[in-house]
């Protein structure tokens, strides 16, 4: 059983969330996080699809360049990329780039690489006999690709892309390091403002932030499972 003092301390910690506009500010910070993720995902889906198709080409130069790009995006930590673009590229070329813009750019570059690899693997997973059957029916290569390959690729991509979107949302917590006022930054501001009066407020604030991330990602996870179930039934 928790002691009375512990219960009072917990109540006091969570009470910080409802002082003034603190909880509304956290929700606003969450929206910034989701907005950055959604814009990055939208660009990544389109560019990643094109990049994935490009990766299936048999041209050796294209294959080499795309593989190098993919490996760089996978090996390089996203935080390092954020620093490179926000603090390095902007100063080197005297470009005015906000933290939000730099974040969207970095996550789009990363998401394009990851999405492209998913598209490539999905295209290559289509059985060869389906290409041959389409050609035997008198379809051109473009018609086979657009009418047979692409629909099957999209079908495989939907649940896989949900996983990528979830990873992007979780990774957006890094944008706090490039002066973006998102949910983690707002949480830090609330903790700092109440550090003297309520030193244990960090527990409540970070717990609520955790729950916000959990709920957003959980909803996406449920959507992915629903889509997979629909596809298996279909």
């Amino acid at each position: 059983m928790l002691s009375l003092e512990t219960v009072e301390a917990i109540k006091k910690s969570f009470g910080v969330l409802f002082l003034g506009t603190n909880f509304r500010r956290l929700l606003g910070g969450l929206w910034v996080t989701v907005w950055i993720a959604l814009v990055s995902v939208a660009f990544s889906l389109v560019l990643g699809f094109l990049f994935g198709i490009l990766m299936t080409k048999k041209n050796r130069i294209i294959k080499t360049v795309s593989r190098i790009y993919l490996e760089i995006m996978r090996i390089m930590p996203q935080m390092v990329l954020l620093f490179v673009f926000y603090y390095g590229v902007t100063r080197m070329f005297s470009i005015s780039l906000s933290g939000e813009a730099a974040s969207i750019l970095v996550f789009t570059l990363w998401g394009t690489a990851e999405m492209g690899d998913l598209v490539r693997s999905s295209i290559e997973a289509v059985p060869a006999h389906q290409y041959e059957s389409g050609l035997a029916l008198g379809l051109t290569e473009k018609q086979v690709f657009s009418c047979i390959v692409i629909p099957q690729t999209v079908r495989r991509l939907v649940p896989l892309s949900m996983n990528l979107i979830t990873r992007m949302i979780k990774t957006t917590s890094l944008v706090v390091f490039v002066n973006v006022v998102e949910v983690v930054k707002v949480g830090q501001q609330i903790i700092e403002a109440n550090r003297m009066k309520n030193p244990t407020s960090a527990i409540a604030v970070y717990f609520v932030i955790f729950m916000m991330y959990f709920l957003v990602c959980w909803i996406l996870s449920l959507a992915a499972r629903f889509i997979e179930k629909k596809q298996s039934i279909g």
Side-chain angles (χ1 to χ4, degrees):
M1 293 290 292
L2 296 175
S3 65
L4 185 60
E5 291 79 6
T6 303
V7 173
E8 288 300 322
I10 293 173
K11 286 182 179 179
K12 187 177 179 182
S13 298
F14 279 91
V16 170
L17 296 166
F18 303 100
L19 291 175
T21 60
N22 285 347
F23 192 72
R24 193 189 311 165
R25 289 172 59 204
L26 279 175
L27 290 176
L30 179 65
W31 167 243
V32 173
T33 297
V34 173
W35 179 79
I36 290 174
L38 289 178
V39 174
S40 303
V41 165
F43 284 123
S44 298
L45 290 176
V46 176
L47 297 176
F49 205 89
L50 297 175
F51 180 56
I53 294 174
L54 195 64
M55 290 177 73
T56 62
K57 300 298 181 182
K58 296 181 179 180
N59 185 290
R60 185 173 297 178
I61 296 176
I62 293 176
K63 276 185 172 293
T64 302
V65 172
S66 60
R67 177 54 61 179
I68 291 172
Y69 170 65
L70 177 62
E71 292 303 320
I72 289 174
M73 289 297 109
R74 280 182 170 173
I75 293 170
M76 188 75 72
Q78 282 74 47
M79 188 169 69
V80 174
L81 288 172
L82 284 170
F83 286 165
V84 167
F85 280 93
Y86 185 69
Y87 295 109
V89 174
T90 53
R91 293 181 182 178
M92 184 180 296
F93 297 101
S94 300
I95 301 171
S96 178
L97 197 65
S98 67
E100 289 87 349
S103 302
I104 291 171
L105 177 60
V106 167
F107 291 133
T108 299
L109 290 173
W110 170 51
T112 298
E114 293 286 357
M115 189 66 191
D117 196 42
L118 292 176
V119 172
R120 176 200 58 77
S121 62
S122 297
I123 290 175
E124 292 177 351
V126 177
H129 69 81
Q130 296 198 21
Y131 290 90
E132 297 166 358
S133 299
L135 294 173
L137 290 171
L139 299 176
T140 64
E141 288 189 7
K142 288 184 178 179
Q143 288 174 327
V144 170
F145 193 76
S146 60
C147 299
I148 298 175
V149 177
I150 292 298
Q152 293 187 61
T153 299
V154 172
R155 185 183 180 91
R156 291 186 174 92
L157 277 176
V158 173
L160 296 175
S161 60
M162 285 292 187
N163 181 47
L164 178 59
I165 294 170
T166 302
R167 288 166 56 200
M168 272 195 172
I169 291 174
K170 290 187 289 187
T171 309
T172 52
S173 59
L174 296 175
V175 302
V176 67
F177 295 107
V178 290
N179 299 322
V180 177
V181 184
E182 43 70 75
V183 65
V184 175
K185 184 66 175 181
V186 172
Q188 291 177 344
Q189 292 173 348
I190 293 172
I191 292 167
E192 286 297 323
N194 293 274
R195 184 175 297 278
M196 299 303 294
K197 294 181 179 179
N198 194 342
T200 61
S201 61
I203 298 173
V205 171
Y206 283 124
F207 175 78
V208 170
I209 291 173
F210 162 77
M211 289 304 300
M212 286 178 170
Y213 273 106
F214 173 79
L215 286 173
V216 172
C217 295
W218 182 58
I219 291 170
L220 289 173
S221 178
L222 289 178
R225 291 179 188 175
F226 176 78
I227 292 169
E228 284 184 282
K229 188 179 292 185
K230 281 286 186 181
Q231 288 180 345
S232 62
I233 293 174

